[in-house]
Amino acid sequence: MQWEIVIGLEIHTQLSTRSKIFSGASTAFGAAPNTQACAVDIALPGVLPVLNRGAVERAVQLGLAIGGHISRRSVFARKNYFYPDLPKGYQISQMELPVVEGGSLTIQVGETEKTVRITRAHLEEDAGKSLHEDFHGMTGIDLNRAGTPLLEIVSEPDMRGSAEAVAYAKTLHSLVVWLGICDGNMQEGSFRCDANVSVRRMGETELGKRCEIKNLNSFRFLEHAIEYEARRQIEIIEDGGVVRQETRLYDPDRNETRTMRSKEDAHDYRYFPDPDLLPLVISEEWIERTRAAMPELPEAMRSRFVTQYGLPVYDAGLLTASKALAAYYEALVAAVGGEAKTCANWVMGDLSAALNRNELDIADSPVSSRQLAALIQRITDGTLSGKLAKEVFEALWQGEGEVDAIIEARGLKQVSDSGAIEAIVDAILAANPNQAAEYRSGKDKMFGFFVGQAMKAMKGKANPQQLNDILKRKLG
């Protein structure tokens, strides 16, 4: 019997403010334990939280980008639970009245486009961190993260399988980094996923019992955790058992999920409005001011690339995968003075391949847009063939200098002297009369033989178009 996997994601994005959500302590990563936890963060008696305006603005940006409703009035609540890294015994979060309600995100899975609905996005503070590795038989507590501003983005259970869940997480990751509201560093915990996974028989409409997998900090772990958990639940049901609603952890070393605790419902946390914080009121003026300051969004830029540069939708999607990549491409087209499709091919081809090989981001590319533009110009003006251009690109990547200097030093200038090319072609035809006769008798594949021989004789420097034209005329 076929099964359907149903997935909803809760994604915690650490907001890019310099200070915490309710205190002035730093949010910088990597400080020594407990050196960035002030009196508010560790809940000393008598302290009061003060809301960080920058955190609210970033939440509003996200709400506008996903087409959500910005709540003109939202409320902070206390989420009560007891854990060593939560000094107050409660977390300040939002329950009934979040800052953003509704919205959606369009994702691409292969050739298929899908819209995932977003339930809400709410502001909250992070807890501290328990440290187990450096202590024998004990646990250390680092409160540097306590109070770090988070925006928790909750989706509807609209995803069907790990591929859709990963596509959604990647699209959202790209968006928050694009907006500048989160640095997206998953290794540092800036972008963390909780996956709610359930299964049901194909054709059923009622949702199955879900299990939540906590704190997945890589897209690969997200994919593997969902696939394992779905298999586990299917096996339980097929063996006549019942899936228990619970919170689970993913162990990447064993590639399995395991029980963490029974799943709590909202009433278990005893939410109630925080008496130390007034309701958050967001004015229309504030919203419009934030909207005006936002960058062009990825979807709008993709559409513009198609209309302005005449690119296929697929190319436009790849080139707008990040703001930095899109900026590189636009700078390249401007420097070349056109040739939009050729520029796209180089960015998506040789440049992206080199970046991937060396595990570099576009911002760290050794080849600048200006240098790549100079290379493309030497192709269009006939100085370089496509094959020779690849050799120049590799030299640029290795830092061997500028394009023209590399061409000169390596003697790579393309031969466009028709007389020189004709002389080579005549010599090759004279040396290979049988092959010439075969071509003239209808064996068109022999044409490639003559092109190869000519290129070999001219060390790959013959102008390909001229060579083809001369060969066709001579063989015709």
Side-chain angles (χ1 to χ4, degrees), residues 163-179:
E164 290 187 8
V166 170
Y168 169 81
K170 285 183 174 180
T171 303
L172 185 56
H173 180 272
S174 175
L175 178 60
V176 296
V177 173
W178 186 290
L179 292 170

Side-chain angles (χ1 to χ4, degrees), residues 189-207:
S190 298
F191 189 92
R192 312 191 299 270
C193 304
D194 298 344
N196 289 291
V197 181
S198 66
V199 299
R200 62 186 178 191
R201 289 181 171 85
M202 199 67 74
E204 290 183 350
T205 55
E206 187 175 339
L207 293 174

Side-chain angles (χ1 to χ4, degrees), residues 34-35 221 245 255 260 269 315 359 382 384 400 428:
N34 299 306
T35 58
F221 290 171
Q245 182 172 321
N255 187 30
M260 180 181 176
Y269 291 118
D315 292 12
E359 297 182 346
L384 288 175
E400 294 183 20
I428 290 170

Side-chain angles (χ1 to χ4, degrees), residues 418-437:
S418 58
I421 297 173
E422 277 202 46
I424 293 291
V425 168
D426 288 341
I428 290 170
L429 292 177
N432 297 278
N434 293 337
Q435 287 85 345

Side-chain angles (χ1 to χ4, degrees), residues 63-339:
L64 293 172
I66 62 173
H69 169 71
I70 311 300
S71 301
R72 276 36 174 192
R73 181 182 183 275
S74 61
V75 174
F76 286 97
R78 291 185 179 182
K79 180 182 181 181
N80 294 274
Y81 64 94
F82 298 95
Y83 211 70
D85 57 13
L86 193 71
K88 295 191 291 287
Y90 62 84
Q91 176 191 31
I92 301 177
S93 182
Q94 293 185 310
M95 177 57 181
E96 293 180 357
L97 296 172
V99 66
V100 176
E101 295 181 282
S104 64
L105 206 59
T106 300
I107 64 172
Q108 193 80 28
V109 187
E111 298 298 316
T112 306
E113 198 173 74
K114 178 171 183 171
T115 297
V116 177
R117 295 169 298 159
I118 293 173
T119 313
R120 56 189 277 144
H122 61 264
L123 288 163
E124 64 183 20
E125 61 180 349
D126 205 352
K129 185 178 182 182
S130 298
L131 306 173
H132 308 289
E133 293 81 5
D134 300 329
F135 302 90
H136 299 289
M138 295 183 293
T139 294
I141 300 295
D142 178 11
L143 296 176
N144 280 350
R145 286 193 69 91
T148 297
L150 301 178
L151 186 65
E152 181 174 345
I153 305 160
V154 183
S155 83
E156 291 288 322
D158 286 347
M159 288 154 276
R160 303 290 179 265
S162 60
E164 290 187 8
V166 170
Y168 169 81
K170 285 183 174 180
T171 303
L172 185 56
H173 180 272
S174 175
L175 178 60
V176 296
V177 173
W178 186 290
L179 292 170
I181 66 173
C182 174
D183 65 20
N185 192 319
M186 300 182 79
Q187 290 72 33
E188 295 179 3
S190 298
F191 189 92
R192 312 191 299 270
C193 304
D194 298 344
N196 289 291
V197 181
S198 66
V199 299
R200 62 186 178 191
R201 289 181 171 85
M202 199 67 74
E204 290 183 350
T205 55
E206 187 175 339
L207 293 174
K209 194 73 75 174
R210 65 188 168 93
C211 291
E212 181 181 23
I213 310 167
K214 298 289 285 186
N215 289 332
L216 299 162
N217 64 352
S218 83
F219 299 123
R220 184 165 58 90
F221 290 171
L222 175 64
E223 177 185 11
H224 291 173
I226 289 170
E227 291 177 353
Y228 174 87
E229 180 59 23
R231 287 196 304 270
R232 186 189 74 85
Q233 293 184 23
I234 290 168
E235 287 174 7
I236 289 172
I237 298 170
E238 288 184 339
D239 290 342
V242 176
V243 175
R244 290 189 306 140
Q245 182 172 321
E246 61 184 0
T247 300
R248 299 179 68 85
L249 289 175
Y250 174 67
D251 183 342
D253 296 325
R254 295 175 176 267
N255 187 30
E256 64 181 21
T257 65
R258 60 173 184 266
T259 299
M260 180 181 176
R261 60 178 180 263
S262 61
K263 176 65 180 169
E264 303 90 344
D265 290 316
H267 63 263
D268 294 323
Y269 291 118
R270 306 186 317 282
Y271 282 95
F272 64 87
D274 193 309
D276 292 336
L277 286 161
L278 293 170
L280 170 61
V281 176
I282 301 174
S283 67
E284 294 292 338
E285 181 188 5
W286 191 1
I287 293 172
E288 292 310 313
R289 193 165 60 245
T290 303
R291 192 196 305 273
M294 285 174 63
E296 183 181 18
L297 295 176
E299 198 167 338
M301 188 176 282
R302 279 194 294 274
S303 298
R304 179 169 64 80
F305 275 24
V306 171
T307 55
Q308 181 176 338
Y309 298 120
L311 296 177
V313 173
Y314 178 79
D315 292 12
L318 290 180
L319 293 169
T320 55
S322 76
K323 190 192 287 187
L325 183 63
Y328 185 103
Y329 172 73
E330 294 215 89
L332 177 63
V333 174
V336 172
E339 302 291 339

Side-chain angles (χ1 to χ4, degrees), residues 22-24 38-41 43-51 78 88 90 92 274-277:
F22 299 117
S23 80
C38 70
V40 175
D41 306 326
L44 290 183
V47 296
L48 290 172
V50 178
L51 180 58
R78 291 185 179 182
K88 295 191 291 287
Y90 62 84
I92 301 177
D274 193 309
D276 292 336
L277 286 161

